[in-house]
Amino acid sequence: MENEVKTASDKVFVDIRQAIVEGEIAQGSKISEPELSKKHQVSRATLREALNRLESCHLIERKANVGCRVISLTPEKLDEIYQVRSALEGLACRLAATNMTDDEINQVKALLDDHLSTQRVRQGESYYQEEGDLDFHYRIIKGSKNSHLINLLCNELYQLVRMYRVQMGMNGPRVSKAFDEHLAIINAIAARDGELAELLMKRHIAASGNNIERKFK
């Protein structure tokens, strides 16, 4: 995931990306290059470089005679992205059961303990995970130790998946169940049972996708 900020383009990319993922910039809204370059105090060329990167993350789209817009979350796109997510994250779990060290597994368990103690998970109210190393899914994907899989899930698809999770899937009655599913997955990985870990992750993602789909209705 591209978190490191080295240039003005990096900073504006990260800032706009966060605003889109968290809904500060609304779904479907038109991107105004003059407004954004003024707000972020960068040149139009620097802004366009950041917009190109946002397009590669599938967060914005360009259409002829329409211009540049933030993507809109739809049930159809949800189905497509969660089908891919289920297959790839299931594979990541299978690989993690072989490739994660005991120390890495214990770190993920500690992360879940932290999630439980610092959030309203017990009450089933909210389960907001920060991105990167504070995100359970991100840590499991990295634990697969497969560079191509990590690139697909942590760079190309991560922010789009995160947009669905943040805006539509991190509150409501499924919260405490999702946490329990995370715990079962890491326990399967700790037991070095890749087949079970893959199955549990696929079930977990299917349940999460169904939860979000209900919110569309």
Side-chain angles (χ1 to χ4, degrees):
M1 187 178 57
E2 303 171 72
N3 267 337
E4 196 171 5
V5 175
K6 295 180 179 177
T7 67
S9 177
D10 290 339
K11 185 176 189 313
V12 70
F13 164 67
V14 169
D15 288 348
I16 296 174
R17 184 182 70 186
Q18 181 176 352
I20 291 172
V21 167
E22 298 191 356
E24 181 185 331
I25 299 177
Q27 298 175 33
S29 60
K30 188 168 173 40
I31 296 289
S32 168
E33 290 189 14
E35 285 181 19
L36 284 176
S37 60
K38 182 178 179 182
K39 177 181 178 181
H40 294 278
Q41 298 182 315
V42 294
S43 68
R44 295 282 286 276
T46 297
L47 178 67
R48 286 194 188 108
E49 185 181 336
L51 293 178
N52 287 337
R53 292 167 70 184
L54 289 165
E55 187 175 20
S56 73
C57 293
H58 310 287
L59 295 180
I60 66 172
E61 54 191 2
R62 287 186 172 93
K63 293 185 178 177
N65 305 319
V66 175
C68 188
R69 289 188 181 275
V70 176
I71 62 122
S72 295
L73 304 182
T74 67
E76 293 75 24
K77 287 179 182 175
L78 173 74
D79 283 344
E80 288 188 1
I81 197 70
Y82 269 60
Q83 285 169 6
V84 172
R85 186 183 173 204
S86 175
L88 295 183
E89 286 202 42
L91 174 59
C93 277
R94 179 182 286 272
L95 294 173
T98 300
N99 296 330
M100 284 183 82
T101 66
D102 290 343
D103 185 53
E104 287 168 336
I105 290 169
N106 287 334
Q107 287 176 22
V108 174
K109 288 182 175 180
L111 176 69
L112 291 181
D113 286 343
D114 186 58
H115 286 172
L116 190 61
S117 65
T118 60
Q119 300 198 51
R120 293 171 292 171
V121 174
R122 281 195 180 92
Q123 292 76 29
E125 294 177 24
S126 176
Y127 191 4
Y128 177 86
Q129 297 181 76
E130 298 287 349
E131 62 182 303
D133 283 340
L134 298 176
D135 176 0
F136 171 81
H137 289 268
Y138 183 85
R139 294 283 279 271
I140 298 300
I141 294 161
K142 297 288 274 191
S144 74
K145 310 287 176 72
N146 182 303
S147 59
H148 294 289
L149 192 59
I150 291 167
N151 183 56
L152 283 168
L153 286 169
C154 292
N155 291 334
E156 187 174 339
L157 296 176
Y158 184 76
Q159 297 298 337
L160 179 57
V161 169
R162 186 166 162 73
M163 188 173 173
Y164 276 101
R165 288 166 62 197
V166 169
Q167 295 193 28
M168 303 190 73
M170 287 184 169
N171 54 48
R174 183 168 150 69
V175 165
S176 56
K177 187 163 179 55
F179 177 85
D180 290 342
E181 290 165 4
H182 284 178
L183 196 57
I185 290 165
I186 194 59
N187 285 338
I189 290 171
R192 306 301 179 182
D193 190 337
E195 185 176 355
L196 178 59
E198 180 176 20
L199 176 64
L200 291 174
M201 179 61 85
K202 286 183 173 181
R203 286 178 175 173
H204 169 66
I205 290 173
S208 296
N210 290 337
N211 178 57
I212 292 173
E213 195 163 13
R214 283 193 291 272
K215 294 182 181 181
F216 277 112
K217 297 173 182 176

